[in-house]
Amino acid sequence: MKHIIHHLALSNVRQNKSRSVLMILSIFLTTLLLSAIAGVGCGTVRNNRVNAGNLYGNYVASLSKVTQEQYEMLTLRSEFTHVGRKAYVAEADSGKAGINIGLSFMDITAAENTNFDHMLKAGALPIAENEIAASAEFFEKFGLVNAVPGDYVSIPLRRDSQSKFEEKEFVVSGVIQSLQDVIAQKSFQGMVSQEFYESLYPEERRFYEVTLRLNDTIMEDERDYEEIVREAAVLCGVEEENISPNEQYLRWVYEPGTETIMGCILIGLLVIVVSVAVIYNIFQVGMVQKIQEYGKIKALGATRKQMRKLILQEGMLLAVVGVPLGLLAGCGVATVMCRKLIVGSQAMVGVELENVSAISLPLLLVVAIAAFLTVRLALSHPKRVAAKTSPVEAMRYQETASRGRSVRKGRETVSVFGMMLSNLSANRRRTVSTICTMGLSCVLFVSVSNLAGNIDDKFEARRYVEYGQFSMSLDWRLDDKAYPEKNLCQIQRDNPLGAEFQEKLKAIPGVTEVKTRKCFEAENLSLNSLDLDGAYVNVCVLDREGFERYGKGSALGNVDYDEVAAVDGILFGASYFMADYGYQIGQQIKLKDMTGSGAVCQGKLMGSFGAAPGVWVITEETFDKLGITEDVTETVWADCRQKDKGSVEEAIEDLMSGMEYVETDSYESAVKQARYGTKMMQGVVYALLGLLGVIGFLNMANTIITGAVTRKRELGVLQAVGMTNRQLNWMMQLEGIFFSAGTAVISLIIGSPLGYALFCYARELHFYGLNEYHIPLLEIGVMILSIVLLQATLSFLLSRNLRKESLVERISYQG
Amino acid sequence: MDTILKTEHLCKYYGSGDNQVRAVKDANIAIQRGEFTAIVGKSGSGKSTLLHLLGGLDFPTSGKVWMKDKDMFALKEDELAVFRRRKIGFIFQAFNLVSSINVWENIVLPIGLDGKETDENFVRDIIKTLGIEGKVQNLPHTLSGGQQQRVAIARALASKPDVILADEPTGNLDSKTSDEVVGLLKMSAQKYGQTLVMITHDQDIAQIADRILVIEDGEVVEQG
């Protein structure tokens, strides 16, 4: 009997070719998704673990503001090894606005701890007093192009803002690799020797940032590493708040990457839920066809157990084909994605990373078991149905879901549309379950596209260039004693972005609008001891539009322009820090203008923006009342027509040539940077959802195909009594359209509110690029169009395929 | 009486060479308007094939079928479908009702497919004649075999076709119901002035026809 059951299952699988192919495809895609997710997860965990040191540095903690004496004590502690130190040495001046250049000292141990030694492209780290190592871009800022070790470079530098820049000649000891994001941020670091550092700072003024590792014997114990570091460092006199554990490194080396694994499991479960629904439905829809046959087998003596076994074997035979293929394809996808991840991380950290494999045999085994269990789970209901059905009932069974209903009100006349509706309503359960299963994939798609489709590159870019096409802003400092001319208040006394500049800007052919924002330097007379910004701050003047823009997100208190203006209120610029800096809503704030008027801006602290472009913010109305006569324009934006962008950019460059303390940026370059990030994110998300959508569609395809096959005779009769090919084709199309429309309606009704809620939640969390909500029409349009196209093609092929058999053959079809 | 349905050297062969089956061989028959013709023959004699050819459901290997002065197989596929629903009514052995629609809808189906208005009085009269008034809203699976075949007869009559072709209409029925159904079929064809061609293997049933054609190994001959 065992052999016969297997034989029967095999012949059933062969007989229902289209259903078998669709089920294999569903199982294949499910396994592919599961193994790809598992592979990428595994690759990420392995990459982070194997390359934890390369990615996040080989140290367990960094300690800042460490004195020479504390450093020496730390080196003596038995808990620690590889105690390295780094120190800020000086600020360098490239003569160009908007570029930050610093010089640091780092000993070889610190270089090893932070992988800096791996970043050396040529030469060595500086040892002699006049040696320096930096990137080619760093040296270019000082006129040394294509630097090689041994070259000389002269760098103007100063120890702090109290000192003047002085030229110092260095010999290039090494050239280090350039990092893309550092170049984009216009921030550069050069490394100098310990000797040079010590020549500038007496011992009592030397402060280090120390990185260290834990002794191997300690690492073998399962203890709280952070606590060990904290205890030992505090004993050496290091302030507790200056101890920062290297959390990423610790997490990846000593924990299994729980978050990644949980994320993968969650996505995997989602895939399984969709797949179970689809495979169940595909099988269930086909069951109706087979129920008579199952009845005969039961009548011949098959037990319930054997019936369950028969159904299970049918499913398992298909899984045996689909699962290995899915595993293979999934491994391929995971390997490619993992490689991309490593290459991407490599570009970010500038250190060569060890290649890791995304494939893990035990994990593949787990995926295979999960895939088989998915099929088993999907078959549990059909198994019960086949086992329960009594032989007599099953043999009498006729394919019509209107069993139980004996009458139908019907219509006076019959049309093709009416025929389609009657068929779908007669098979109500099948129709609803198909629409719901397909709808489930589409609900996911619509929900997530509310997030991914609302990522706004332009909004992201507008964080950098708020208005128009070009921004020009002052490059200022606050309270620079050595170079007071670089202070904001000093620059604004003869403001390069003043009225004259603005007039010239407006006169550039093509410029359509010029917008400005004021910001002035002030002394904080209500300075709090916790306020790390110090006494000198910048006060930004925002107009109504600015209030609206910055008022979104995590604002605190009252940020309504009119209400703030009415009481000349003052707002804090960064809500996250307000409490830390010791300010409270309602307290009086006094800010004294440093530009020249000496006016004191006094008002109630009404609230705080999430992240405004100034430490303090006031309204235009309040500013006007202060009577500041200097032009305190800080930023100027110019807009122009698209076609004039090139010429306007050139004209702005001309206008600004030789201008000091002004930096420029263009909207276009900001958009370009944002777009790259968005595309990467959307690509991954839509690929996953697209595959889930295909699995869902297979289910609809199965329902349509099964519907056509089971009704082959009925459709033949319809044609015999006069239904034309065109009418038949139209009827099939209408059925498909009904499924598509039902799916679209479900996905929109459930997916849209769900997606909107997801969007609001993600925006609250400042998810990348989320700003204004708009219905993701393009994504939804593409989804609906894809469903309609796939369905139309399927219905067309099916009705053509049906017609391949002669009418007589179809009428005589016995199911 | 004028000839309504005529075949000329009608042949239908399946396969080729030694395996060729000659289902219908050079059939030349003429059916007169209003006539009730029975085609009898043993199983496999080719009678169903002949009926399918007469109804334009199958295509001949050679020869022609004329409905009045229309060469049926000169029509394109979709034109033939329209021709069928207007000129021919079919009754099948397995009833072949559409399971998802009720009795009334099954009856008016060919009219609906033609996009025409239903002559409600006419259809109600047929329903009454066939004795299925109480079942119009029933779904087919709730009816007995005899009732289902009456619905099939009503469907064949409803579009007022020129010819009704019945393929073993009693094949699935017991003898008592068979007699009833054939009686009703003959009576309604007479009442509504329609030509009836019925296939049967039952000589007794054939006896009530005006004329009997015998088919044997694909060859059609008139019974004496």
Short mmCIF file of all heavy atoms in Angstrom, two decimals, chain B residues 2-4 14 29 47 84 89 106 114 122-123 140 174 189 203 215:
data_model
loop_
_atom_site.label_atom_id
_atom_site.label_comp_id
_atom_site.label_asym_id
_atom_site.label_seq_id
_atom_site.Cartn_x
_atom_site.Cartn_y
_atom_site.Cartn_z
N ASP B 2 -40.04 22.29 -47.53
CA ASP B 2 -38.73 22.63 -48.09
C ASP B 2 -37.62 22.04 -47.24
O ASP B 2 -37.78 21.77 -46.05
CB ASP B 2 -38.59 24.16 -48.20
CG ASP B 2 -38.82 24.86 -46.90
OD1 ASP B 2 -39.52 24.28 -46.01
OD2 ASP B 2 -38.28 25.96 -46.73
N THR B 3 -36.48 21.85 -47.85
CA THR B 3 -35.31 21.27 -47.15
C THR B 3 -34.66 22.35 -46.30
O THR B 3 -34.36 23.43 -46.80
CB THR B 3 -34.31 20.73 -48.20
OG1 THR B 3 -34.98 19.79 -48.99
CG2 THR B 3 -33.11 20.12 -47.51
N ILE B 4 -34.47 22.00 -45.06
CA ILE B 4 -33.86 23.01 -44.17
C ILE B 4 -32.39 22.70 -43.89
O ILE B 4 -31.55 23.58 -43.75
CB ILE B 4 -34.67 23.15 -42.87
CG1 ILE B 4 -34.23 24.42 -42.14
CG2 ILE B 4 -34.54 21.93 -41.96
CD1 ILE B 4 -35.26 24.99 -41.25
N TYR B 14 -10.68 10.45 -39.13
CA TYR B 14 -9.68 10.73 -38.09
C TYR B 14 -8.45 9.89 -38.39
O TYR B 14 -8.55 8.77 -38.87
CB TYR B 14 -10.21 10.32 -36.71
CG TYR B 14 -11.44 11.10 -36.27
CD1 TYR B 14 -12.71 10.53 -36.33
CD2 TYR B 14 -11.32 12.41 -35.80
CE1 TYR B 14 -13.82 11.23 -35.91
CE2 TYR B 14 -12.45 13.12 -35.39
CZ TYR B 14 -13.69 12.53 -35.44
OH TYR B 14 -14.78 13.22 -35.06
N ILE B 29 -27.64 13.67 -46.96
CA ILE B 29 -28.98 13.59 -46.38
C ILE B 29 -29.67 14.93 -46.52
O ILE B 29 -29.00 15.98 -46.62
CB ILE B 29 -28.96 13.14 -44.90
CG1 ILE B 29 -28.07 14.08 -44.05
CG2 ILE B 29 -28.51 11.71 -44.75
CD1 ILE B 29 -28.14 13.80 -42.57
N LYS B 47 -22.70 8.19 -35.37
CA LYS B 47 -23.89 9.03 -35.31
C LYS B 47 -23.64 10.37 -34.59
O LYS B 47 -24.13 11.41 -35.03
CB LYS B 47 -25.08 8.28 -34.68
CG LYS B 47 -24.82 7.65 -33.34
CD LYS B 47 -26.04 6.85 -32.93
CE LYS B 47 -25.94 6.37 -31.48
NZ LYS B 47 -24.76 5.58 -31.15
N ARG B 84 -24.81 29.38 -34.97
CA ARG B 84 -25.28 28.28 -34.14
C ARG B 84 -26.32 28.76 -33.12
O ARG B 84 -27.36 28.15 -32.96
CB ARG B 84 -24.10 27.67 -33.36
CG ARG B 84 -23.50 26.46 -34.01
CD ARG B 84 -22.66 25.65 -33.03
NE ARG B 84 -21.76 26.43 -32.21
CZ ARG B 84 -20.48 26.65 -32.52
NH1 ARG B 84 -19.96 26.15 -33.61
NH2 ARG B 84 -19.72 27.37 -31.71
N GLY B 89 -30.49 24.61 -32.03
CA GLY B 89 -30.62 24.35 -30.60
C GLY B 89 -30.05 22.99 -30.30
O GLY B 89 -30.31 22.03 -31.03
N ASN B 106 -30.16 29.59 -17.53
CA ASN B 106 -29.69 28.58 -18.48
C ASN B 106 -30.53 28.58 -19.74
O ASN B 106 -30.02 28.46 -20.85
CB ASN B 106 -29.72 27.19 -17.83
CG ASN B 106 -28.38 26.81 -17.25
OD1 ASN B 106 -27.44 26.52 -17.99
ND2 ASN B 106 -28.27 26.82 -15.94
N ASP B 114 -26.51 36.37 -27.56
CA ASP B 114 -26.76 37.05 -28.83
C ASP B 114 -27.07 38.53 -28.62
O ASP B 114 -27.25 39.28 -29.58
CB ASP B 114 -27.95 36.36 -29.52
CG ASP B 114 -27.84 36.45 -31.03
OD1 ASP B 114 -26.73 36.77 -31.52
OD2 ASP B 114 -28.84 36.21 -31.72
N PHE B 122 -42.87 33.90 -24.39
CA PHE B 122 -42.54 32.68 -25.12
C PHE B 122 -41.78 31.70 -24.23
O PHE B 122 -42.11 30.52 -24.13
CB PHE B 122 -41.72 33.06 -26.36
CG PHE B 122 -41.26 31.88 -27.17
CD1 PHE B 122 -42.19 31.07 -27.83
CD2 PHE B 122 -39.92 31.56 -27.28
CE1 PHE B 122 -41.77 29.97 -28.57
CE2 PHE B 122 -39.49 30.47 -28.03
CZ PHE B 122 -40.43 29.67 -28.68
N VAL B 123 -40.78 32.24 -23.51
CA VAL B 123 -39.97 31.38 -22.65
C VAL B 123 -40.83 30.79 -21.53
O VAL B 123 -40.74 29.59 -21.22
CB VAL B 123 -38.76 32.15 -22.08
CG1 VAL B 123 -37.96 31.28 -21.11
CG2 VAL B 123 -37.84 32.61 -23.21
N PRO B 140 -28.95 24.02 -11.28
CA PRO B 140 -29.06 22.73 -11.97
C PRO B 140 -28.82 21.51 -11.08
O PRO B 140 -29.50 20.51 -11.21
CB PRO B 140 -27.99 22.83 -13.06
CG PRO B 140 -27.88 24.28 -13.32
CD PRO B 140 -28.13 24.97 -12.03
N ASP B 174 -33.67 7.05 -16.93
CA ASP B 174 -34.31 5.75 -16.85
C ASP B 174 -35.41 5.68 -17.93
O ASP B 174 -35.77 6.70 -18.52
CB ASP B 174 -34.89 5.50 -15.46
CG ASP B 174 -35.88 6.58 -15.07
OD1 ASP B 174 -36.96 6.63 -15.69
OD2 ASP B 174 -35.55 7.39 -14.17
N ALA B 189 -41.52 20.38 -30.21
CA ALA B 189 -41.04 20.67 -31.57
C ALA B 189 -42.24 20.92 -32.48
O ALA B 189 -42.24 21.85 -33.31
CB ALA B 189 -40.21 19.51 -32.08
N GLN B 203 -34.00 1.78 -30.62
CA GLN B 203 -34.93 1.66 -31.75
C GLN B 203 -36.36 2.04 -31.35
O GLN B 203 -37.08 2.67 -32.12
CB GLN B 203 -34.92 0.22 -32.28
CG GLN B 203 -33.76 -0.09 -33.22
CD GLN B 203 -33.91 0.57 -34.59
OE1 GLN B 203 -34.94 1.16 -34.92
NE2 GLN B 203 -32.85 0.47 -35.40
N ILE B 215 -27.31 4.77 -39.37
CA ILE B 215 -25.88 4.96 -39.69
C ILE B 215 -25.11 3.73 -39.24
O ILE B 215 -25.29 3.23 -38.13
CB ILE B 215 -25.33 6.27 -39.07
CG1 ILE B 215 -23.88 6.50 -39.48
CG2 ILE B 215 -25.48 6.33 -37.56
CD1 ILE B 215 -23.40 7.92 -39.27
#
